[in-house]
Amino acid sequence: MSSDRSALAAALAARYRIEREVGRGGMATVYLAHDLKHDRPVALKVLRSEIAAALGGDRFLREIAITARLDHPHILTLIDSGDAGGFLFYVVPYVRGESLRSRMDREKQLPLEEALRITQQVASALDHAHRQGVIHRDIKPENILLHEGEAMVADFGIALAVQEGERLTETGLSVGTPEYLSPEQAAGDRQLDARSDVYSLGAVLYEMLAGEPPHTGPTARAVIAKILAAPPPRLQVVRGDVPATLDHALTRALAKVPAERFATAAEFAAALSETRAPAVMRDPGFGRRRAAAVGAVVLLALLVALWGWHQWRSGYRPLVIMMDSPHPDRVYDVETVRESGTNADVISDILADLPIVRQKELGGPGWHRYDEIVAFHPDLVIMHYSTFRGSDSGDARPGLKTFLSY
């Protein structure tokens, strides 16, 4: 055990037991540790000594406090942080899975739908953080963990916080991996916003689909020069199954000028949700033949449906009930009778000439007897013109308007 690890173990002995080192990056060393109080495995990340010296304990703890309020299903929640014997550390849940980097090292290119799903989950996490005033600054495959099919964004613990448009840190530390730096990061701009993370996430999506980042080179300087000046190869040229809508969305996310990108990670995710993944065939006539085949199937199905409806309709006779049994208190208005007579007989004669099953209710269910009317399952109920006269205050049955609503 190295002297530094021994000193770290001693400084944290009352709270954590250091099990082993599981990773080492440009910003921190990651240890698998055991939380003694809660009896659980955790990932304990210790900032590199030069970064810790540049930040300072007070400043680091002030910034980490901002990230502590991030609460999102695709963000590794901050459990603990502190300064132990000069070691600046923070603790997050230990994820039993693999990083996106490990997955891509093994498979190079991911299926289109899976790449989109991972990107949208990360975009959702970033949008939440951005609305809390936190910019990640170091989105890359190493900081995206895959656990039970879900993407988890790590290392918000060392993001530079943004509060009311100004960063709390003024050290000018260079944070980020060259291949995923936004042009403004590559140019040394210290005033970064959400669009910088959108660019980095676009670069990650590009690599998931193309098998390599949008810009590569033998040195970090060469990569940065391309980021600042050269457009990336169009994704549709590199991979044939990418729909045009996705290619356009990714081109916008990787725009050199921040104003030309999506303003938020949520907008980027929304654009991705509108993309589709049709199979793109090398045969240029495939699309036309497929469209013709689909059209023929739809037309055939429509003709079959119309024929079936006609067969059913030709043998179907609607049931019409003619209501002609008025309630004792419901009488024909004298003026109406004088002008047009009781039109019940006229209506009945009309119905007799129609291809229907007619039921003229002379002694059957009255206007108020819902149960009997419903039992007939009629297609139409006709009530000849009449008015209701008199009071039903003592009658608990529903009134005329209730029936008419039926």
Side-chain angles (χ1 to χ4, degrees):
M1 182 181 294
S2 67
S3 58
D4 284 348
R5 179 172 169 181
S6 298
L8 174 65
L12 295 172
R15 300 157 67 181
Y16 301 100
R17 183 177 67 248
I18 306 298
E19 302 284 355
R20 58 184 172 86
E21 180 179 321
V22 294
R24 184 182 293 265
M27 297 293 291
T29 301
V30 187
Y31 297 96
L32 171 61
H34 191 80
D35 183 346
L36 299 176
K37 180 179 180 179
H38 300 99
D39 190 25
R40 60 181 175 180
V42 295
L44 189 146
K45 302 193 175 189
V46 182
L47 266 61
R48 287 171 47 185
S49 57
E50 62 271 27
I51 294 177
L55 283 174
D58 292 341
R59 181 171 290 159
F60 168 72
L61 294 176
R62 187 164 64 246
E63 292 177 344
I64 205 77
I66 294 176
T67 67
R69 66 172 178 253
L70 299 181
D71 183 14
H72 189 276
H74 295 292
I75 294 178
L76 282 184
T77 306
L78 182 69
I79 295 175
D80 190 12
S81 63
D83 182 345
F87 293 100
L88 301 183
F89 72 93
Y90 61 101
V91 181
V92 296
Y94 177 68
V95 176
R96 291 180 174 86
E98 64 178 346
S99 69
L100 180 58
R101 167 56 61 210
S102 298
R103 173 76 182 279
M104 291 165 62
D105 285 345
R106 187 174 65 252
E107 299 184 21
K108 298 297 287 182
Q109 294 176 310
L110 300 189
L112 182 57
E113 290 301 319
E114 184 176 8
L116 290 175
R117 176 177 53 80
I118 291 172
T119 305
Q120 289 178 304
Q121 291 176 355
V122 175
S124 175
L126 289 176
D127 185 66
H128 171 77
H130 295 161
R131 285 186 279 109
Q132 303 299 318
V134 180
I135 308 300
H136 193 288
R137 297 173 60 97
D138 196 19
I139 290 295
K140 57 185 178 182
E142 289 82 353
N143 285 336
I144 300 172
L145 305 181
L146 303 178
H147 176 61
E148 296 182 353
E150 300 295 310
M152 307 290 293
V153 182
D155 273 2
F156 270 105
I158 53 177
L160 298 184
V162 177
Q163 185 71 11
E164 296 179 357
E166 295 183 359
R167 290 183 299 121
L168 296 180
T169 304
E170 296 298 335
T171 63
L173 284 171
S174 176
V175 180
T177 303
E179 287 81 2
Y180 311 99
L181 289 177
S182 66
E184 54 270 33
Q185 277 183 294
D189 190 345
R190 289 162 43 158
Q191 299 296 327
L192 303 178
D193 59 24
R195 295 171 296 184
S196 179
D197 281 348
V198 168
Y199 181 97
S200 299
L201 180 57
V204 172
L205 174 58
Y206 187 102
E207 183 175 359
M208 282 193 284
L209 296 174
E212 63 179 18
H215 298 292
T216 59
T219 64
R221 187 181 299 273
V223 172
I224 289 174
K226 289 183 178 180
I227 290 174
L228 292 174
R234 291 298 294 266
L235 190 57
Q236 280 190 308
V237 176
V238 179
R239 179 164 173 170
D241 66 341
V242 173
T245 50
L246 173 55
D247 193 24
H248 294 156
L250 198 49
T251 298
R252 182 177 175 186
L254 295 174
K256 303 295 184 188
V257 180
E260 296 177 358
R261 294 180 211 140
F262 296 101
T264 66
E267 288 184 13
F268 185 25
L272 295 180
S273 68
E274 295 174 0
T275 66
R276 296 294 182 265
V280 178
M281 300 297 181
R282 295 299 181 187
D283 181 0
F286 170 77
R288 291 190 298 272
R289 291 197 302 273
R290 182 177 62 177
V294 171
V297 171
V298 171
L299 179 59
L300 178 61
L302 180 60
L303 291 174
V304 171
L306 287 173
W307 179 83
W309 179 85
H310 177 73
Q311 292 295 105
W312 170 83
R313 190 67 181 85
S314 62
Y316 179 75
R317 299 177 67 196
L319 173 61
V320 177
I321 295 180
M322 172 70 179
M323 299 302 299
D324 192 22
S325 53
H327 187 277
D329 287 336
R330 200 191 78 199
V331 298
Y332 295 112
D333 183 84
V334 175
E335 181 179 352
T336 303
V337 172
R338 183 173 61 249
E339 293 294 330
S340 58
T342 60
N343 56 3
D345 290 337
V346 176
I347 295 175
S348 182
D349 291 338
I350 294 174
L351 295 177
D353 295 330
L354 298 178
I356 62 175
V357 177
R358 180 167 58 93
Q359 181 156 344
K360 191 167 186 289
E361 293 297 320
L362 295 175
W367 66 276
H368 56 281
R369 297 172 64 177
Y370 286 84
D371 53 338
E372 293 192 37
I373 295 175
V374 172
F376 285 106
H377 301 290
D379 295 283
L380 177 65
V381 176
I382 297 178
M383 292 182 64
H384 55 79
Y385 184 87
S386 61
T387 59
F388 186 84
R389 184 177 296 171
S391 171
D392 262 358
S393 59
D395 193 339
R397 293 171 296 188
L400 182 60
K401 288 184 178 180
T402 305
F403 173 77
L404 292 179
S405 67
Y406 164 79

